[in-house]
Each structure stands twice: as structure tokens, then as C-alpha cells.
Amino acid sequence: MPELPEVETTRLGIKDPILGKKITELVIRQYQLRWPIPSELRSLLKGQVLKDLTRRAKYILFHFKVGTLILHLGMSGRLSVFKDSALPKKHDHLDMLFSNGYILRFTDPRRFGAILFTKEPPHKHPLLSSIGPEPLTDDFNGAYLFEAAKGRKVAVKIFIMNSKIVAGVGNIYAAEALFMAKIHPETRASDVTHKQYQKLATAIKKILLKAIEKGGTTLKDFMKPSGRPGYFSLALKVYGKAGKPCERCGTQLKSLRIGQRATVYCPTCQA
DNA sequence: ACTTCGACCTGTTGGC
DNA sequence: TGCCAACAGGTCGAAG
């Protein structure tokens, strides 16, 4: 489900009902996610007030006085907030009960997601400490990418999906941004010009912002926490459209595998 | 230091 | 309809 816009949509969707509220109970039904949920999490968080809810890369951070819960949705994770106590289903792994009656539920069929805890400032946690700039900040721009790409032979698509280079660009939006910037996804990172990187950085920002505005991409089962679907999929230009005509020039969009990931591009526009 | 590859786990889809 | 292989939005960590 989640790329950065979906994670951000999720964060915004769950924030209001639970921010500033006290956790009265934590129910953990499945500890085995990507890494095991820390066994002491329940005792740590009972009685704690959720002081802030932020995001770094695709991690959602729950800030408490005693530390920070770090949550990643993996590929199939979802968070929902509700008041009526719906019976837990097969993949509903964790419930956070709040003093105002709201329940936050984590659901993840594939269990690639993660729920961790740190007493340190979260940016010091090993998972977060070496992540690149957030794509929507000014630190992320064409000059930065151009510098970072020196000596890199990997395909530019792989390069921008590397979280050490830039946070939160996944398979869908990488393909979309390269299409917008008219760059072939297999170009070596070091061969992309400064000017092209400027276009690419701009494209990444534009696409992510627009996707967040639209509430994320609806792919298979992505739903905002409200239960309403995101609408960005209507705006996708290449992802999942192999064989269809390019919107700009009419050429049949082609599909490749780059680094074991499906990659769609226009062989004419992205020469 | 950079790059590739396997791993985690379940559900869905498409071909025969 | 059934079975099986391939594939799916992520990303870490080992090995080359």
C-alpha cells in the first residue's frame, strides 16, 4: 500500500482523534512483524499521553514522554481509527485504546511492517539515522542529487529509490517522476545531467505533493483511514500502464524489470 | 564504498 | 474449477 503520500495521508487521517489522548490499553495479537514487537511495549505505553504524531520517510512516529514508537506500514500495512469495537480480524495485529474511546488498529496481512520503540530521540535510531533528506524540503534539489550521483553507476531509478539518497520515493512515484522529467529509468545515475536532476527533483516534489493532496494512490486496497479511497491513481501516467499509449506522444508504454521491480516508461519521451 | 541478491509473509492474479 | 507460478506498494543486511 504505502509510499510516502499514503503514509502521510494515513498520519493525517488518524491524528485528530488520538492526539493528546491517553492510552488506556494496548492489545497485541501478533508480535512477529518484520522485527518482533518489543515485549515490554504494553507496559511502557499504558497510561502514556500521545504528545505528537510525526513522519520521517515512511515511518510514522508516535511521541510519548517515555520515548517514541516507530511504525512502518511495510507493503500491506494499514492503520484505522474507530470507536465501535469492531471484532478483530485475522490480520489485525495491534490495537491502541485511547481514553476518549477511540481505537487505533494496525492491520498488515504480509507482516512486512514494523512496530519498534526507542527511548532515544528517534532520528538517532539505526533505522532513521542514515536516511536522506525529505523530498519536500529545500535540502532536496537538483544540485544535491547531482552531487550525490557522482561515481554512481546504478540505474537512476534505483538511485532515487535509495532511502539514503532521498527519503520515501518508492516504485510508483519513481516511475512517475522519471516520466515527468523525461529521463530513461535505466540511465546511469552519474550520467544524468545537472539540468535533468533539477527537473527530476521538481518532478518528485510535484508528484508527491499532488498525491498527498488527492489522499494517496488507490492501489488494490489502499484506503484512507476514513475508509474513503485515495484518488491519485486517476492521475498515474505510466505505473501499471504498460502497453497503453503514452499520454504525451502516443507511443506504446514499455515495461522493464530494474532491480526486480516492474518499471514502466515511454521509449520515445524518455529516450 | 558501491552493488546485487536473498529474505521477510500472505494474498491475488493469470495461465494452463 | 483447480493448481501453481509469478507478482505485489518496502527495505534491511549479507555477501560480492
Side-chain angles (χ1 to χ4, degrees):
Chain A
M1 174 246 290
E3 288 213 26
L4 191 143
E6 289 74 27
V7 175
E8 183 63 6
T9 299
T10 297
R11 183 183 74 87
L12 295 172
I14 63 172
K15 189 173 178 183
D16 285 346
I18 60 173
L19 190 66
K21 302 300 182 287
K22 185 186 283 187
I23 294 180
T24 55
E25 188 56 88
L26 199 65
V27 181
I28 305 172
R29 300 185 195 83
Q30 168 63 270
Y31 282 84
Q32 298 308 311
L33 301 180
R34 173 155 200 184
W35 297 281
I37 297 178
S39 53
E40 67 278 18
L41 191 68
R42 177 168 171 269
S43 56
L44 274 166
L45 292 188
K46 255 181 103 163
Q48 288 288 311
V49 172
L50 179 64
K51 298 178 81 148
D52 204 358
L53 186 69
T54 62
R55 179 188 60 75
R56 172 73 172 114
K58 292 175 191 165
Y59 295 91
I60 298 177
L61 306 177
F62 295 71
H63 301 261
F64 302 98
K65 192 175 170 190
V66 290
T68 306
L69 183 150
I70 301 172
L71 185 148
H72 197 293
L73 295 169
M75 276 168 101
S76 58
R78 250 177 302 145
L79 287 171
S80 50
V81 180
F82 52 90
K83 225 166 183 174
D84 50 319
S85 65
L87 279 180
K89 300 234 258 306
K90 191 174 173 189
H91 301 297
D92 294 338
H93 305 317
L94 179 143
D95 284 352
M96 216 182 263
L97 282 61
F98 288 89
S99 49
N100 59 354
Y102 277 104
I103 299 171
L104 176 71
R105 175 165 286 178
F106 176 70
T107 308
D108 184 8
R110 262 178 100 178
R111 290 196 267 136
F112 278 20
I115 296 178
L116 299 169
F117 186 83
T118 179
K119 295 183 179 179
E120 301 287 309
H123 63 269
K124 293 201 172 167
H125 190 276
L127 285 176
L128 301 182
S129 59
S130 58
I131 290 180
E134 285 290 321
L136 298 177
T137 62
D138 293 342
D139 291 348
F140 177 71
N141 54 47
Y144 164 78
L145 279 178
F146 185 67
E147 268 309 305
K150 287 188 173 162
R152 299 286 197 128
K153 293 177 191 170
V154 278
V156 62
K157 175 159 179 270
I158 306 265
F159 177 68
I160 59 170
M161 287 174 67
N162 180 343
S163 63
K164 292 189 166 72
I165 302 300
V166 54
V169 178
N171 199 36
I172 300 176
Y173 298 111
E176 294 296 318
L178 287 164
F179 175 77
M180 185 184 272
K182 300 188 181 178
I183 299 168
H184 192 292
E186 280 180 311
T187 315
R188 286 176 172 204
S190 57
D191 288 350
V192 176
T193 65
H194 190 289
K195 203 167 186 178
Q196 283 180 310
Y197 270 130
Q198 286 178 336
K199 286 177 83 172
L200 184 55
T202 306
I204 290 171
K205 287 170 195 274
K206 267 194 196 169
I207 287 168
L208 292 179
L209 273 175
K210 195 169 167 202
I212 291 168
E213 256 174 50
K214 300 264 179 187
T217 300
T218 295
L219 279 164
K220 306 266 164 80
D221 56 355
F222 178 68
M223 291 281 171
K224 294 165 51 169
S226 62
R228 294 176 171 282
Y231 289 100
F232 189 72
S233 59
L234 303 174
L236 293 176
K237 308 229 182 273
V238 289
Y239 180 83
K241 298 198 182 245
K244 303 232 167 85
C246 167
E247 211 176 86
R248 260 191 321 241
C249 74
T251 307
Q252 249 196 10
L253 297 177
K254 266 195 179 169
S255 183
L256 282 174
R257 282 192 88 72
I258 304 181
Q260 298 115 294
R261 310 299 295 277
T263 303
V264 184
Y265 72 106
C266 171
T268 303
C269 295
Q270 296 169 263

